[in-house]
Structures are given as C-alpha cells and as structure tokens.
Amino acid sequence: MGQTMIEKNCSLKAFNSFSIDARAHLLFHFKQHSQLPELLTLIKQMQSEKKPILVLGGGSNTLFCEDFSGLVIKVELMGVDKSEDPENYLLTVAAGEDWPQLVEDTVQQGIYGLENLALIPGVVGAAPVQNIGAYGIELKDVCTRVDYIDLIDEELKSLSNEDCLFAYRDSIFKGELKDRVLITSVELKLPKQWQPHCRYGLLQSIHETEETVSAQQIFNSVCRIRSEKLPDPSVLGNAGSFFKNPIVSEHLGGQLLSHHADMPLYPQADGTAKLAAGWLIDQCGLKGKQIGGAAVHKDQALVLINTGNATSQDIIDLAWFVREQVLQKFAVLLEHEVRFIDAQGETTLQQVMKDV
Ligand code: EPU
C-alpha cells in the first residue's frame, strides 16, 4: 500500500471532540480490511510488551486524561451496503462512517427510521457501544447485527441485537467484551412501513399529531432543537452529555419529587425512576460555572465545554465539582457517560481523583 498507516508520538487533538492535546505512543489508521494482518501483528507486539490498546472512533465521547502509552487504533473503515426485502431496508454500514451523515443520507434517500438520531456526533462503530439514543429512539431499536474483530482470539465475529445486551447507554461492549473488540460494521433494519416517533418532550410540542408528520419534518425539528441547545464541538470542544441521567429507587425519586414538584422524573418499567442530570446540575446553579478553561455550558447544564484552552485536568476538576454539588444537594451520584482514558486505558473519574 506504500503509505504508512502508523504514526508515532501522535497528537490526538484532532481526534477527540474536547480538543485535548494528548498524545498516543502509536496510532494506526485502520482504513481497509487488507491491513488486518499488519494490525494483528502490531496488536501482538503491544500485548507482549504489556502496552494498552485503545479502539477509537470519532472521539466524540472520550476524555484523554493523559498521554496514551500504547496503541490507538483509529477506525476509518468506510462503505454502506444497501439491500432490501419486501418489508425492510437493510443497511450494513462500515464502522468509520460518520453517524450524522448516515442519518442525513438515509432520510434524503427516503429510507426512514433514523431521523430522531440526527446530529449525534460520532462514527457508526461507536453507536452500539453506548447504545446512542435521543428523542425516544435508541440504536437498539434499529440495529440487527454488530460485526467485530475479537482482538484476543483474532477472529471475525457477529452479535445479534439480543446478544448485544443493549440497555440505557450500555451494551456488552462496555461490559464482558470491553477492551477486546474492534467493531467493523453495524447492520440496521429500517421497515418500509415507517412509524413516526414524536412523543418525546420538545418533539411532541412541535408535532402534536403523528398522523401527518413526515420523517423529513422530524429530522428538521431534531436538528433545530439540538443546534439550539447543544454546542457544536468544532466551535466549542465538548462530548455531548457528560453524565448519564441517573436511575434512582422509587423511594428516592418520590422523596425528591415531594420537595421539588417541577423535577423531571421518568418512571421506568421496573419501578425505578430516571432523573434528568441536566436539571439537577442546573438546580445547583452551575450553568456557566468555570474551572480553568472548562465550563458548564450556559444553555444545557449536562454538557461540559472546553472554552478554548482547557486541560484535561480542568475538565476533571469541573466534573468532580459538579458531581459533589449534586451529591450534596440531592443525594444522587452522577455517573459519567464520557469515557475517561488515562495512560493505561479506560478509567473513571473516581479513580483519577484518587490518583492525584
Ligand atoms: N434541563 C434543565 N436544565 C438543563 C438541562 C436540562 O432544566 O440545563 C431539563 C430539561 O428542561 C428537561 C430535562 O432536564 O426537562 C431533560 O433535558 P433534555 O430533554 O435536554 O435531555 P437530557 O436528558 O439532558 C438526553 C440525552 C441526550 C439526548 C436528549 C434528547 C442522556 C445522558 N442524554 O439529554 O443525549 O440528545 O436526551 O433525547 O441520556 C448524549 O448522550 O450525548 C446526548 C446529547
């Protein structure tokens, strides 16, 4: 192939939406399957040297806390394969394809079902990992298969929707298969008999009736709502929702509601209650709160931003401050949705704070 796909001591600034200037010891651009033997050799070498391996998609949900001491595999596999049966469109989408572009393209081609998930930054391969979701739809509702390379036994494998163990911002790729999977493609099944979903929050107030609304209209509304509330990462570094919406016991949910009648609370099927982390942070008066170059976004408290020259430590300190304030005021512990990566691989906010 001539051109080398491996970079040494490479800046990751362009590869994470927080624009943190961390470095990777090695970075491999994985563009086509023919590179697989070369990649597997490199992986073996890393394993024998006990160096960590990180699979990176669009970097839109990642906080690099330190320089990464091992191999970063940047997944850049491209291509969309379309087929259909009498009832459905089937799309097999390579992991490096841009998710928001895919949504836009499908809507334009008259293939509907992804419109609620418009403008979610990131690549297709990352979508199943955290089961991306917005406005009443999650990836699990449209994904039928995930293809991946098992980095331990070096085999190509597939998982069905059920096997992926999708849950709220969660899947098997964050659990049992964490750190051993490189997702290569995702299959999506989109019924030709399209059903609109606009019962969620703001969408409902815009489209009161599901009878006449079109997929293009939902797409336009979602794009408008998101652009109004969420900062564009290419202008202000951020990683979308920084924390997950916490799920608390029915008892705590009820108790909080009795003190804060206007608190958003989404009852879950199992009796627990999902709260809005953005609301909790907002109630602590933290919109606009700044530590160093990191700030809580002024319009959506669930988003932490890099105001220009934030270090990862600024973001970590701010995240910790937010977590402590919410804990003190509401006795609710926020878990971060953003992946924290230190020199050795994935870590947590608690761990990073313990280490300093
Ligand atoms: N709220 C406030 N103040 C704020 C932010 C939110 O009072 O600063 C209130 C809102 O008024 C609303 C509630 O909190 O009553 C929930 O807010 P919103 O509808 O904006 O959604 P969210 O819970 O903050 C979730 C997802 C988003 C997704 C939206 C729309 C998570 C962690 N976040 O946000 O996903 O786009 O719903 O479906 O589940 C992401 O994961 O990166 C992401 C952006």
Side-chain angles (χ1 to χ4, degrees):
M1 184 161 23
Q3 190 194 356
T4 173
M5 291 295 166
I6 305 174
E7 294 182 66
K8 281 190 179 153
N9 190 26
C10 173
S11 169
L12 295 166
K13 191 170 160 76
F15 303 137
N16 73 96
S17 61
F18 265 123
S19 290
I20 294 297
D21 197 6
R23 290 187 165 265
H25 170 58
L26 287 179
L27 185 127
F28 187 97
H29 293 273
F30 186 31
K31 289 180 185 290
Q32 42 202 345
H33 282 270
S34 61
Q35 291 171 287
L36 200 50
E38 190 190 355
L39 176 59
L40 290 175
T41 307
L42 196 54
I43 288 173
K44 275 218 190 79
Q45 189 193 324
M46 290 292 118
Q47 285 164 344
S48 73
E49 291 173 16
K50 303 237 173 323
K51 293 224 170 93
I53 293 165
L54 175 74
V55 177
L56 186 66
S60 55
N61 199 40
T62 303
L63 177 65
F64 287 107
C65 304
E66 294 176 324
D67 290 343
F68 188 70
S69 66
L71 168 68
V72 173
I73 306 168
K74 177 96 175 43
V75 182
E76 297 169 11
L77 300 167
M78 302 304 274
V80 183
D81 236 42
K82 283 194 203 95
S83 63
E84 56 186 285
D85 62 27
E87 274 103 46
N88 305 290
Y89 294 106
L90 285 173
L91 308 181
T92 304
V93 190
E97 289 284 340
D98 182 57
W99 178 269
Q101 191 63 53
L102 175 75
V103 176
E104 190 178 337
D105 290 349
T106 51
V107 171
Q108 241 166 40
Q109 292 158 10
I111 300 176
Y112 303 135
L114 301 182
E115 54 285 341
N116 294 50
L117 304 176
L119 285 193
I120 297 184
V123 294
V124 168
V129 177
Q130 56 152 337
N131 181 26
I132 57 168
Y135 305 104
I137 294 274
E138 289 180 328
L139 186 85
K140 76 168 168 53
D141 303 320
V142 290
C143 172
T144 36
R145 200 186 69 235
V146 176
D147 305 317
Y148 66 94
I149 302 166
D150 187 315
L151 300 177
I152 306 284
D153 57 23
E154 301 184 0
E155 273 176 41
L156 293 171
K157 296 183 180 172
S158 294
L159 286 182
S160 67
N161 176 300
E162 215 172 55
D163 294 339
C164 288
L165 306 180
F166 289 127
Y168 170 62
R169 293 300 190 274
D170 200 18
S171 73
I172 194 167
F173 306 109
K174 287 173 93 174
E176 202 185 312
L177 292 184
K178 184 161 160 294
D179 292 337
R180 66 176 288 172
V181 162
L182 188 160
I183 293 175
T184 53
S185 60
V186 174
E187 185 188 70
L188 305 173
K189 183 161 120 181
L190 302 169
K192 291 180 180 174
Q193 275 282 341
W194 174 72
Q195 290 286 335
H197 293 273
C198 48
R199 295 248 163 80
Y200 182 94
L202 270 179
L203 266 191
Q204 182 161 31
S205 52
I206 299 171
H207 304 289
E208 276 171 11
T209 161
E210 288 193 338
E211 265 125 58
T212 52
V213 71
S214 71
Q216 183 70 51
Q217 283 170 328
I218 295 183
F219 174 81
N220 293 346
S221 300
V222 170
C223 289
R224 212 190 58 236
I225 300 169
R226 288 190 75 100
S227 324
E228 274 169 14
K229 279 205 314 198
L230 298 169
D232 177 351
S234 65
V235 181
L236 266 185
N238 76 87
S241 301
F242 195 91
F243 297 99
K244 289 190 212 176
N245 283 332
I247 296 177
V248 300
S249 67
E250 192 176 9
H251 177 72
L252 179 57
Q255 232 181 14
L256 288 171
L257 208 52
S258 69
H259 289 101
H260 311 275
D262 59 339
M263 181 184 79
L265 180 148
Y266 316 102
Q268 302 295 290
D270 62 0
T272 57
K274 196 197 264 183
L275 309 181
W279 185 90
L280 298 170
I281 299 168
D282 199 354
Q283 291 296 305
C284 293
L286 293 177
K287 269 185 182 158
K289 166 77 187 170
Q290 191 156 349
I291 295 185
V296 177
H297 190 244
K298 62 177 182 20
D299 299 326
Q300 163 53 292
L302 193 46
V303 176
L304 304 190
I305 57 170
N306 176 355
T307 61
N309 51 10
T311 60
S312 49
Q313 194 58 49
D314 294 340
I315 297 170
I316 292 163
D317 290 344
L318 181 64
W320 187 258
F321 185 78
V322 167
R323 185 185 113 122
E324 291 298 295
Q325 295 290 302
V326 169
L327 189 57
Q328 271 175 31
K329 190 170 166 74
F330 295 104
V332 173
L333 192 58
L334 293 182
E335 261 181 62
H336 49 93
E337 184 193 325
V338 168
R339 288 205 305 170
F340 278 49
I341 309 292
D342 70 8
Q344 294 304 320
E346 191 147 1
T347 182
T348 62
L349 177 58
Q350 292 93 305
Q351 195 56 50
V352 173
M353 292 308 286
K354 230 191 271 165
D355 289 347
V356 286

